[in-house]
Amino acid sequence: MELKTMKNARTLTMSMRQPAEKMEQTLKKLIEERDNDAIIKFLESHSSNENDGYRSSVLQLTVLNDPETLHSILTWGKEKSLTPATGGDVCQEENNPILVACQQDYRRCMGYLYQHGYRMKEVKEKVDYEEDDQVKQFLRFQAASNIHYLSLEFTEHQVLQNEDKATELGPDEIKHLEKIDPIRKVFEIMEHADHNMEDFQGSSELKDNYNFIKKKLEAFTGGILTQCRGMHEVKTILDHNPDDDDDDELDDAYTNWQEALFTGHKDIVSHPNFQQYLWRKMTGDGSINTEIPFKFLTDIPNLGSTTKSRMKRVLWNIKNFPLTILTFLFCYPFVVLADFLRKGDILFVNPKALEARRLKEIENDMENQQTENESSPQGCFDYFRKRMHIPLFRMIPYLFTKVTYLILLFVSIWHKGHSMLEPNFQEQILLSITFIISISYLVDDTVQLFRTKVFNSFWNYFSLLTHLLLVGGAVLIYVSYQFSPSGTNLADLSGNSAENVRLALFSFGAGMEFFSVMQWLTLLETTGPMVLCVLHAIKDALRMVSIYIVLFVAHSIAFISLYKPFHPDPTNTTQQLNTTYVLAKNANALKSQRGLISTLFWRIIASAGPEMVNIKNTMDPTDDFSLEFSHLMGLVLWGIYQIIVYVLMLNLLIAVMNTSYSELWQNAQRESKYHKSKFLAKFLEPLEIFPVPFRWIYYLARAVYACKKEKKDPIKQDKKKYFWLLRELILNKQEAEYEKSDDDKMNDLKMDIFNELRKINKPK
């Protein structure tokens, strides 16, 4: 009975499945024929399965990239309330047609689907990407990173469809627009790409694919900058900060330009508009005084334009370098301290923001019919505020204090005494000043590691290590001075003594401090690319250290074992006299493990002949060296070691460096602009108004400002202006791409027609 029941159920299931499969095949055939009316007629004739047929049609037409037929079916589905926009179809993620369109970059299909309410599942956290199936993870990432879809989300937003740009945006509308801001989403997706390339689940095999998508995303942001029609538009795009709630310069969140710079998007940073924007910020948005002394020198006839420009630059430096240093040393600290009695905001509110505050207060005073205004312009404070908020002027005290510190460090080392344990009074004063500055740098380096808005590059960690060695070595040297006998000379002490070990640490730190000057050379157009090439070559050499270590250890073990019989035995003084075979005269270094290791190490950079490992038969004075088996194996091992280490590895290292140099030199301008921008960007922070060792003034001023900061209605960014401008630039970019695509298609068509005509006219 049970078997009969199961058989009947199976028969019923098969009878129900067959019409469905037949319907699916018929629909598929109609879709392949691209007959819009026939497809719609077929769907209407199967009203019981109308929803399933509609879903299948939309998905298949998307896969076939047939936007015309897809548009007809979507329009019919809208009339029947089958689309997501009308509350009908709710697709699963794996059967979502817009996911397919995004993966294959079918832009017209994507546009029609988005218009009718199809959306992709939003990826909220990085964890959503962490799957075991790395291929599936990449396909989802590829769809989520589709530039056209990101643009559609923003440009087709309902709020931005209103032609009246004067309409105010509510807080919820601004919040949602911030959420779908394509520039911010591009930065977030590129961060996901970096995360996926460096995980532990094998997705690094797809690193090139992720990197290709990153390049496209960077090109998208660069294309938006290209569409800007002036620096005011570039400034609006790059200055945008979604979390900015006031007008001072103490924001914790990144602006768009900081996000691009500090997350390493070199193509965006090296864009001409970005570089021009950054330079304008360095000059205080063009507020810098360009007047130069001795201007008549630039009016000399027969001078080329390049020479005149260089002369103007030199004359400007002659004027502003001493003026800035004098105002910094003798005016800035006193002005800041005097400002504590006012609002304490001179370091944190730039002149433009202050002017906006004053205008707002004047408007409020007029509304309240008040005549007194506490925020009236004050010449002295306004003058110094303007100079302090020109980042280019901040570089001058920084360079001045750094050079002064290097001179003090050099003089501290170059004193005439033979022992650093007994400096005279003048040297003690000099060493004390240098030590205090070194401690200031060490404290600042430590603080920088924990600041949120700091990009910690190689130079940050290098500086921290340098000042650790300097301060640590100096402290230990001072302790040694206190407890060492009078008249102690370091040359009389062992190299392993605590005094000399501490001196070695200090010496390395001093050398590293002077090496850090290399960072300044990245600012120069002529030396910047070469400095980067040198640093990349050093990195290549460090990457090969592990290979050298393996080769060195392997051959050292073999040599120690092979030549162990020839090591002298301290307990047997007659061993050397009674030995038949001894090391040759030039091979004495192999008699000890220390000498053997030293010999093998220096062969890495310089080759040597076989006499270094020869073994001589003392019974045969005519034989220069023995060729017996074990003795010959020593020569063979010596030759193999030198061929591998000196010939192969050295040439491989040169080839790797040459490859890195060639790759870097091809993008020399991009790399140089990026590293230069990274160096200049730190002077845009008010922190750099007072460089080390004057940094304590800044922190004191910040504490005072935090206490005195008025809790009034903040003057926020005009985010509405940013959103409308961004939409306009994206649409202009898409239009330019479509025109270029149409031109390319037309050129291809012309070329095909020309080739066909040439074939027809070709004589047989």
Side-chain angles (χ1 to χ4, degrees), residues 248-267:
D248 61 25
E249 299 187 0
L250 294 177
D251 301 314
D252 292 328
Y254 284 159
T255 59
N256 283 346
W257 74 265
Q258 289 172 328
E259 191 76 39
L261 180 63
F262 296 148
T263 50
H265 303 311
K266 299 179 182 179
D267 289 334

Side-chain angles (χ1 to χ4, degrees), residues 189-199 214 263 265:
I189 291 171
M190 286 193 285
E191 184 181 354
H192 287 326
D194 292 332
H195 170 74
N196 291 335
M197 284 189 287
E198 301 297 336
D199 70 0
K214 277 189 64 178
T263 50
H265 303 311

Side-chain angles (χ1 to χ4, degrees), residues 324-335:
T324 304
I325 291 171
L326 290 174
T327 53
F328 168 75
L329 292 175
F330 301 106
C331 299
Y332 279 16
F334 304 105
V335 170

Side-chain angles (χ1 to χ4, degrees), residues 177-437:
L177 287 173
E178 293 285 8
K179 190 176 180 181
I180 61 174
D181 180 354
I183 292 182
R184 285 286 166 165
K185 293 195 77 171
V186 161
F187 290 143
E188 182 182 354
I189 291 171
M190 286 193 285
E191 184 181 354
H192 287 326
D194 292 332
H195 170 74
N196 291 335
M197 284 189 287
E198 301 297 336
D199 70 0
F200 297 98
Q201 302 184 25
S203 63
S204 58
E205 300 296 333
L206 298 169
K207 185 173 182 178
D208 291 340
N209 303 71
Y210 283 110
N211 198 39
F212 176 74
I213 293 177
K214 277 189 64 178
K215 291 290 183 184
K216 289 174 62 177
L217 294 171
E218 285 189 0
F220 167 74
T221 311
I224 292 177
L225 292 179
T226 303
Q227 293 299 321
C228 293
R229 291 159 294 190
M231 285 308 300
H232 63 286
E233 292 187 353
V234 175
K235 180 176 173 60
T236 301
I237 295 297
L238 294 180
D239 269 350
H240 177 67
N241 185 348
D243 299 320
D244 184 22
D245 57 354
D246 53 30
D247 58 347
D248 61 25
E249 299 187 0
L250 294 177
D251 301 314
D252 292 328
Y254 284 159
T255 59
N256 283 346
W257 74 265
Q258 289 172 328
E259 191 76 39
L261 180 63
F262 296 148
T263 50
H265 303 311
K266 299 179 182 179
D267 289 334
I268 301 174
V269 175
S270 60
H271 193 281
N273 289 353
F274 189 103
Q275 290 293 307
Q276 184 63 22
Y277 162 83
L278 186 61
W279 177 248
R280 282 186 63 84
K281 288 187 75 69
M282 290 298 297
T283 58
D285 286 331
S287 62
I288 195 169
N289 186 359
T290 57
E291 293 292 328
I292 58 174
F294 311 112
K295 190 176 181 180
F296 63 90
L297 294 176
T298 61
D299 298 330
I300 299 176
N302 301 325
L303 282 180
S305 57
T306 304
T307 306
K308 288 183 178 180
S309 299
R310 291 175 179 173
M311 287 184 63
K312 288 180 180 179
R313 194 179 302 123
V314 170
L315 293 173
W316 187 89
N317 289 331
I318 291 174
K319 167 192 170 184
N320 285 283
F321 261 79
L323 177 61
T324 304
I325 291 171
L326 290 174
T327 53
F328 168 75
L329 292 175
F330 301 106
C331 299
Y332 279 16
F334 304 105
V335 170
V336 171
L337 293 175
D339 192 57
F340 290 169
L341 303 176
R342 301 167 68 245
K343 294 185 177 181
D345 62 355
I346 193 168
L347 297 182
F348 312 106
V349 179
N350 60 46
K352 186 176 179 180
L354 181 65
E355 185 64 26
R357 288 186 180 186
R358 286 171 175 169
L359 291 175
K360 186 175 181 180
E361 291 186 8
I362 290 174
E363 293 176 359
N364 294 337
D365 291 342
M366 293 178 64
E367 292 177 1
N368 298 329
Q369 296 182 351
Q370 296 179 3
T371 57
E372 295 183 0
N373 184 10
E374 297 179 357
S375 299
S376 58
Q378 299 184 15
C380 177
F381 287 99
D382 285 350
Y383 171 78
F384 286 108
R385 184 190 300 269
K386 182 179 179 181
R387 289 194 68 88
M388 289 178 182
H389 287 276
I390 296 178
L392 199 60
F393 288 154
R394 299 173 188 174
M395 293 182 66
I396 297 175
Y398 168 83
L399 294 174
F400 172 74
T401 54
K402 197 72 175 179
V403 170
T404 303
Y405 172 60
L406 291 175
I407 293 173
L408 290 173
L409 186 61
F410 175 78
V411 175
S412 300
I413 297 172
W414 200 260
H415 65 78
K416 297 180 180 180
H418 294 289
S419 171
M420 290 193 66
L421 297 180
E422 293 186 356
N424 55 38
F425 178 75
Q426 292 82 0
E427 291 168 349
Q428 287 182 4
I429 297 297
L430 185 64
L431 290 172
S432 299
I433 295 174
T434 308
F435 178 70
I436 292 172
I437 298 177

Side-chain angles (χ1 to χ4, degrees), residues 109 298 353 491 502 586 655:
C109 292
T298 61
R502 296 156 189 167
N586 293 329

Side-chain angles (χ1 to χ4, degrees), residues 479-533:
V479 173
S480 300
Y481 168 68
Q482 297 297 324
F483 294 98
S484 296
S486 177
T488 301
N489 194 314
L490 292 177
D492 297 330
L493 301 178
S494 168
N496 294 328
S497 65
E499 290 80 2
N500 280 320
V501 170
R502 296 156 189 167
L503 178 61
L505 294 178
F506 178 84
S507 302
F508 269 88
M512 292 169 65
E513 186 67 58
F514 278 86
F515 180 81
S516 64
V517 176
M518 187 83 72
Q519 186 183 12
W520 303 354
L521 299 180
T522 57
L523 296 176
L524 303 179
E525 188 176 352
T526 53
T527 58
M530 288 186 285
V531 170
L532 297 177
C533 290

